[in-house]
């Protein structure tokens, strides 16, 4: 798998070191609050598992499964919520966890949907944030790493459902991307 990468951006040790810092920041901010973490499947699974074990606070965990449809490696803007019922977030402090903030379409839709359930607060934590213009006005409150506008895989991030189990994060080689990508799970 690693041979399909053009280059490694963050190796496992670098990612875990950064998670120590992020977890300390989040733990300080949510001390004595009713925290509910909403992890967005599938992309945030590995990030969630490593991050949450570094947060020594009582918290609730729920997951949302969302599909975004892509043309090539670009989001088209269509978001489908797979659950019939949303997690019960009324009156709670919500922290949404996702793998990557790209166009912003997905996180804006998720934030809108959860906000309608009247939580006490909503914040967003992403492992990666692409430094680029967004289609929707959304930003993350906690960011693992800023990256350029390149297609990356590994540590939960996929290309056609592959590479999620790579322990590092890297830029996929162009000759490994098929030109027409129809849909991916988050
Ligand atoms: P957005 O709606 O454009 O912000 O895209 C969000 C989703 O697209 C993420 O949760 C990922 O599943 C996927 N995505 C965006 N950029 C990348 C990438 O570079 N690698 C893998 N998945 C990506
Ligand atoms: Mg994906």
């Amino acid at each position: 798998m690693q041979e399909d990468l053009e280059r490694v951006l963050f190796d496992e040790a670098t990612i875990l070191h950064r998670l120590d810092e992020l977890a300390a920041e989040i733990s300080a901010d949510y001390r004595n609050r009713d925290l509910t973490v909403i992890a967005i499947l599938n992309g945030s699974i590995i990030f969630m598992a490593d991050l949450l074990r570094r947060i020594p606070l009582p918290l609730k965990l729920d997951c949302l499964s969302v599909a975004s449809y892509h043309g090539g490696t670009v989001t088209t803007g269509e978001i489908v919520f797979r659950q019939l019922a949303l997690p019960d977030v009324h009156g709670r402090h919500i922290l949404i966890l996702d793998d990557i903030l790209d166009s912003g379409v997905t996180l804006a839709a998720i934030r809108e949907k959860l906000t309608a359930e009247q939580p006490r607060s909503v914040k967003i934590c992403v492992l990666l944030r692409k430094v680029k213009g967004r289609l929707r006005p959304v930003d993350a409150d906690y960011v693992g790493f800023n990256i350029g506008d390149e297609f990356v895989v590994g540590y939960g991030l996929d290309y056609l459902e592959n590479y999620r189990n790579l322990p590092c994060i890297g830029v996929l080689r162009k000759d490994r991307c098929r030109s027409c990508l129809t849909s991916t799970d988050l």
Side-chain angles (χ1 to χ4, degrees):
M1 283 193 297
Q2 193 140 345
E3 61 279 5
D4 291 352
L5 298 181
E6 190 178 289
R7 64 185 193 283
V8 172
L9 293 182
F10 309 107
D11 64 17
E12 194 176 5
T14 305
I15 296 168
L16 294 180
H17 176 70
R18 180 68 188 124
L19 294 199
D20 285 338
E21 297 174 345
L22 263 188
E25 210 184 316
I26 292 168
S27 302
D29 290 353
Y30 284 94
R31 189 149 294 136
N32 303 319
R33 292 200 194 176
D34 293 329
L35 173 60
T36 298
V37 173
I38 307 280
I40 311 305
L41 302 175
N42 295 331
S44 74
I45 282 182
I46 292 173
F47 173 43
M48 169 195 72
D50 283 341
L51 180 72
L52 295 192
R53 283 178 295 171
R54 289 169 162 74
I55 299 178
L57 297 179
L59 57 82
K60 291 185 179 169
L61 171 63
D62 237 309
C63 296
L64 264 188
S65 178
V66 183
S68 77
Y69 290 81
H70 296 255
T73 47
V74 180
T75 303
T76 59
E78 193 190 341
I79 304 297
V80 177
F81 287 80
R82 293 199 175 111
Q83 273 97 341
L84 291 176
L86 286 174
D88 181 17
V89 300
H90 186 89
R92 294 191 61 89
H93 294 283
I94 302 305
L95 182 62
I96 302 169
L97 282 193
D98 206 358
D99 52 359
I100 189 164
L101 175 58
D102 183 14
S103 73
V105 169
T106 308
L107 277 166
I110 291 167
R111 186 181 59 185
E112 208 169 275
K113 198 108 175 155
L114 291 173
T115 301
E117 305 295 310
Q118 298 180 312
R120 277 182 83 171
S121 68
V122 179
K123 282 189 178 183
I124 293 174
C125 173
V126 292
L127 176 64
L128 303 172
R129 174 171 64 186
K130 286 189 187 173
V131 177
K132 62 187 280 192
R134 315 246 178 261
L135 293 177
R136 296 281 309 271
V138 62
D139 201 1
D141 302 279
Y142 304 96
V143 176
F145 303 98
N146 285 310
I147 62 170
D149 191 9
E150 299 183 287
F151 197 79
V152 296
V153 295
Y155 199 74
L157 290 126
D158 73 303
Y159 173 64
L160 296 176
E161 292 305 320
N162 292 306
Y163 306 107
R164 291 198 198 275
N165 56 325
L166 259 181
C168 63
I169 295 167
V171 178
L172 192 60
R173 274 171 52 177
K174 301 283 177 297
D175 60 353
R176 292 295 186 273
C177 293
R178 272 191 272 129
S179 56
C180 188
L181 174 61
T182 51
S183 95
T184 56
D185 289 333
L186 301 179

